[in-house]
Amino acid sequence: MMAKKRLLFDALIMDSFWVCFVVWLCMTAIPVIGQSLAQATVEPGMEQAVKWRWAPEPSNPAAWGLSLEMQPEPSSMANSTHGVAGKASVSAPNPQGPPEKTLEYVVQKGDSLSLIGRRHGVTVAQIKEFNRMKRDIIVIDQKLRIPSIADIQAMAPVPKPAPKPKVAQKPETKAESVKTKEVAAETKSRLKRPLPSAASSVARVVLMQAYLDRKGFSAGPIDGTDGPLYDAALRSYEAAYPGELRSEMGQIPEALQNMGGAYAEYQLRREDFRWIAPEPPKISATRKSGNSASPEPGITLEQLTAASFLPYRNVWEFVAERYHCSESFLRRINPGLKSSVTVGALFFVPNVHPFEIENALAEPLQPAADPATPVTATIVSNSRLEIRRSGKLVANLPVAVARPGLRGRGTWKILDAIPRPQMVSPGDPVMPASVPQVLPPGPNNPVGFIWINLAKGSDATPLPYGLHGTSIPGYMRRQESIGGFRMTNWNIAFAVRLLPAGTPLTWQ
C-alpha cells in the first residue's frame, strides 16, 4: 500500500514538473524562437523601422563616398627603392596592395613571412611562390624578393577545384555539353589565367546570363544556375528578338560569340576603397548573396543612422555588385583569393557591362521625352518591370515589393529621379522622435542609390513609395524593408536612363 502511494506521489511530482516546463517554454523559449524567425523576414536593422513612415530626400553630393586621405598608398615604399636592386624600407607604412616594382628585402631579427607580407601588401603564399620556398622558415640576412603586381599576375597560380553549387540542374544534352566546352575554351583564350573548375563548369549558363543582363533582360544576380527567373528572362528575350539566339546544334550563337566569353577579369584599385568600409562591418553587414543560408546578424538601426555614408561592407560585396553577381558565386569562382583582399587583387567576374558606382550618377539621369518614340512601362505580377519604346520591349527587369500587400492598379506615372537619396522618418508614430531619424546615402542604404518618384494618374504629387534600388539584392524577394518597389542597384541604374519623367506606368 505504501509503495502504491509512493508511486502515485512520484507521478504527481513528474506531472507538475512537465506542466511547469511547458508553461516556461510557452512564456520564454517559443516567443524567442518566433522572434528570430520573424527577424529573418526583415532586412537587418530595419525590424522596427519598417512600421514607420519614411520619405526620400536629396543628400549632399559632397558626402557621397568615403575619403581616401587616410588610406596608405599601395606604392608607399616605391620612393625608397630602385627596382630589384633596391632595398625595401622596414619602417614604411603598410600598403594596401603589392608594390609597383619588384623589391628585394633582407630579413631582420623578429621578422616572419606574415609580417613581411603585411609590410609590402602581399600574402605569405605569394612570397613563398615567388621565392620558390617550400617552408615558412626564414633566417636573419636572408634575401627575399617581394613580387610586384605584374609579378603576381604572371605567376598565374592554378586554383584548387571548388565544389560545385548544390543546386539541382537539368542534365546537359550532348549538344549542350559541346557548347559548354566551347564556351569555356573561348573564355580561357582571352584571359591571362586558367579558369577555376567552378567557373568553367558553368560557363555556358554564365555566358547566357551575362548576355541577357547586357541586353536589359536580367534574371537577377548571376550565379551560374538556371531556374524559373533565368527561363523567364530567356523566353522574354527570345520573344522580343526572335532568331537572335538561334544556332546550329552544338554551336554558340553568333550574338554570344561576339561577347568574347563568359568571364572577364577585374583588378582591385585603390580608388575602389572610396566605396568600401575600411574595417570589419559596423555599418552594413547584410549578405548580398542569395545563395547564403541567412544574413549576418547584429546590425541595428542606431548603427545605420549614426553613419554619414553607408558603403559596401567589404571588397567582395563591392565586386559582386559591380559585376551583377551573387557574392557567394564570386567567392566560388575565385578560390585562390583570401577573404581579405587588397589593392591589386585580380578577380574572375561575369562578362557584363559593369555597374560603375563612381560614374553611375552622371547627369542627366533620365532622358528627355521624345513624342516620336514614346516610352511606356509596366509592372507585371509585382515581379517584373517591362519597358517599351514605340511598343517594342527593350528591357525586362526583376522587381520586388518592399512591404507585403503593396500593389498598384490602373495607370501611374514616372516622375523625377532622386540620386543619392537619404531616407528620413519622424520615428515611431506613437512616440515620434524629437529629432528625425535619417538613413544616410550609400549603396547600402535600404533603398539603394537612386529613388524614382511615382504618382497616380494625372496627379503630380509623389507617392510615399517609389521605384528604387536595394542593399540586399539576393534577399529582396524574401525580406521586408522600407520603400516601395525595389530593384538591384545595377538594374535601377539601367532603367532610370530609359524612363523619361512623365512615362506612364501600368500594372498587370
Side-chain angles (χ1 to χ4, degrees):
M1 187 69 179
M2 290 296 294
K4 289 183 179 180
K5 289 183 178 180
R6 180 56 184 257
L7 288 172
L8 181 61
F9 177 76
D10 290 345
L12 289 172
I13 292 295
M14 289 301 295
D15 287 345
S16 300
F17 167 78
W18 283 112
V19 169
C20 292
F21 175 76
V22 171
V23 171
W24 171 84
L25 187 66
C26 292
M27 295 180 64
T28 58
I30 289 177
V32 169
I33 294 171
Q35 184 180 11
S36 298
L37 292 174
Q39 287 177 348
T41 65
V42 179
E43 181 172 353
M46 307 304 295
E47 291 80 7
Q48 296 300 318
V50 292
K51 305 171 185 176
W52 305 347
R53 185 180 181 87
W54 293 85
E57 292 184 0
S59 63
N60 181 2
W64 184 244
L66 302 172
S67 172
L68 289 176
E69 292 180 359
M70 300 303 294
Q71 297 276 4
E73 294 287 345
S75 56
S76 58
M77 294 169 289
N79 293 335
S80 60
T81 61
H82 300 281
V84 175
K87 304 294 182 180
S89 169
V90 176
S91 60
N94 292 346
Q96 291 295 300
E100 292 182 351
K101 297 180 180 180
T102 306
L103 305 177
E104 183 183 274
Y105 180 82
V106 179
V107 177
Q108 308 292 317
K109 183 177 180 180
D111 273 341
S112 67
L113 287 181
S114 59
L115 286 174
I116 296 171
R118 281 200 296 271
R119 288 194 196 112
H120 298 89
V122 296
T123 66
V124 171
Q126 289 166 348
I127 294 175
K128 289 175 65 177
E129 182 172 354
F130 196 53
N131 290 274
R132 298 183 179 180
M133 299 169 62
K134 295 184 178 180
R135 297 185 297 173
D136 291 352
I137 298 174
I138 55 176
V139 296
I140 296 174
D141 292 332
Q142 179 180 349
K143 292 182 179 180
L144 295 174
R145 293 187 304 147
I146 307 299
S148 65
I149 293 176
D151 294 327
I152 292 171
Q153 293 177 16
M155 284 191 286
V158 179
K160 297 179 181 179
K164 293 181 180 180
K166 297 180 181 179
V167 178
Q169 296 203 26
K170 295 175 288 187
E172 284 189 336
T173 64
K174 184 176 181 181
E176 288 175 331
S177 179
V178 171
K179 190 181 293 185
T180 296
K181 293 176 181 177
E182 288 183 356
V183 171
E186 182 177 343
T187 299
K188 288 178 183 178
S189 68
R190 48 185 300 280
L191 298 175
K192 301 175 184 177
R193 304 171 294 154
L195 275 174
S197 61
S200 59
S201 63
V202 294
R204 179 180 62 85
V205 176
V206 172
L207 180 66
M208 184 62 77
Q209 287 181 321
Y211 178 80
L212 293 172
D213 185 280
R214 282 169 168 243
K215 294 298 184 178
F217 287 71
S218 170
I222 293 172
D223 58 5
T225 63
D226 50 14
L229 291 177
Y230 169 86
D231 292 341
L234 181 56
R235 287 196 303 269
S236 177
Y237 184 80
E238 288 179 327
Y241 299 91
E244 272 203 23
L245 298 178
R246 188 177 301 138
S247 67
E248 298 296 328
M249 180 175 289
Q251 300 298 312
I252 304 172
E254 184 179 356
L256 272 64
Q257 291 182 33
N258 294 336
M259 277 181 58
Y263 298 98
E265 290 178 295
Y266 181 71
Q267 189 167 42
L268 197 64
R269 308 166 302 166
R270 181 173 182 266
E271 53 266 36
D272 292 336
F273 284 85
R274 185 182 175 197
W275 315 104
I276 303 169
E279 56 187 3
K282 292 181 180 178
I283 296 176
S284 180
T286 303
R287 288 187 190 270
K288 291 269 178 170
S289 164
N291 296 337
S292 302
S294 62
E296 293 180 1
I299 297 304
T300 66
L301 181 64
E302 289 72 22
Q303 289 174 304
L304 294 170
T305 56
S308 59
F309 182 74
L310 295 175
Y312 295 105
R313 66 184 174 93
N314 60 32
V315 167
W316 292 94
E317 188 177 73
F318 167 79
V319 178
E321 184 149 291
R322 194 174 186 89
Y323 286 92
H324 312 183
C325 63
S326 73
E327 187 180 328
S328 61
F329 177 69
L330 183 68
R331 290 178 182 272
R332 197 161 65 241
I333 65 174
N334 289 280
L337 289 177
K338 303 286 186 180
S339 290
S340 178
V341 290
T342 55
V343 172
L346 200 59
F347 289 82
F348 289 113
V349 294
N351 187 14
V352 298
H353 296 309
F355 166 61
E356 298 177 340
I357 190 170
E358 65 273 25
N359 300 318
L361 294 175
E363 296 287 351
L365 279 178
Q366 294 172 280
D370 183 357
T373 56
V375 176
T376 59
T378 304
I379 291 183
V380 181
S381 301
N382 261 12
S383 63
R384 308 286 300 182
L385 171 66
E386 296 181 350
I387 303 175
R388 289 176 169 81
R389 185 184 294 121
S390 299
K392 174 75 172 178
L393 186 64
V394 294
N396 190 343
L397 305 166
V399 172
V401 294
R403 284 174 287 180
L406 186 58
R407 184 176 179 83
R409 291 182 180 178
T411 301
W412 290 16
K413 184 168 52 181
I414 300 289
L415 299 180
D416 59 315
I418 302 176
R420 314 174 195 86
Q422 60 181 10
M423 298 301 289
V424 182
S425 172
D428 190 334
V430 178
M431 298 181 62
S434 56
V435 178
Q437 298 281 336
V438 178
L439 286 165
N444 265 336
N445 185 291
V447 301
F449 83 120
I450 288 178
W451 173 288
I452 300 176
N453 279 318
L454 303 176
K456 289 184 178 181
S458 59
D459 193 351
T461 305
L463 294 166
Y465 24 83
L467 189 64
H468 55 80
T470 182
S471 61
I472 49 171
Y475 288 91
M476 69 181 195
R477 293 182 182 276
R478 301 183 233 171
Q479 291 185 344
E480 186 179 352
S481 190
I482 63 174
F485 305 93
R486 50 191 174 178
M487 307 170 68
T488 64
N489 283 338
W490 62 85
N491 281 336
I492 192 72
F494 181 83
V496 72
R497 297 189 181 277
L498 297 176
L499 297 170
T503 297
L505 173 65
T506 56
W507 300 83
Q508 290 183 3

